[in-house]
Amino acid sequence: MTRASTASGVSSIIKNIVHKKALATRLRLKEIFYVGMLAIDELDEKRLQELAEKVHQMQVNGEI
């Protein structure tokens, strides 16, 4: 569990979100990451770019 949570980045916000999702879905942390990757693959190019820009802006603003 520790290795997967450190792989989620240095943001404690991201770690908390991943842990909450894992508990809510009864999945392991590595499974949550994999579900996220599968979900990304399901997005069309426009939606993927919109989300990428949103997350990048959150990073720039220090939110994550």
Side-chain angles (χ1 to χ4, degrees):
M1 195 166 182
T2 303
R3 286 187 352 204
S5 64
T6 57
S8 67
V10 295
S11 172
S12 61
I13 294 169
I14 293 172
K15 289 179 188 176
N16 288 336
I17 292 170
V18 170
H19 281 278
K20 286 178 186 176
K21 293 293 183 189
L23 290 173
T25 58
R26 297 182 183 176
L27 294 172
R28 296 178 181 160
L29 294 178
K30 66 181 178 180
E31 292 169 330
I32 289 295
F33 284 109
Y34 189 61
V35 167
M37 296 305 297
L38 292 173
I40 288 169
D41 287 343
E42 295 292 320
L43 296 174
D44 62 37
E45 189 62 32
K46 181 179 184 254
R47 186 67 177 132
L48 178 59
Q49 287 304 314
E50 291 171 352
L51 285 173
E53 289 173 20
K54 178 181 177 181
V55 171
H56 176 70
Q57 192 60 49
M58 291 172 75
Q59 174 69 28
V60 169
N61 293 339
E63 297 174 47
I64 58 171

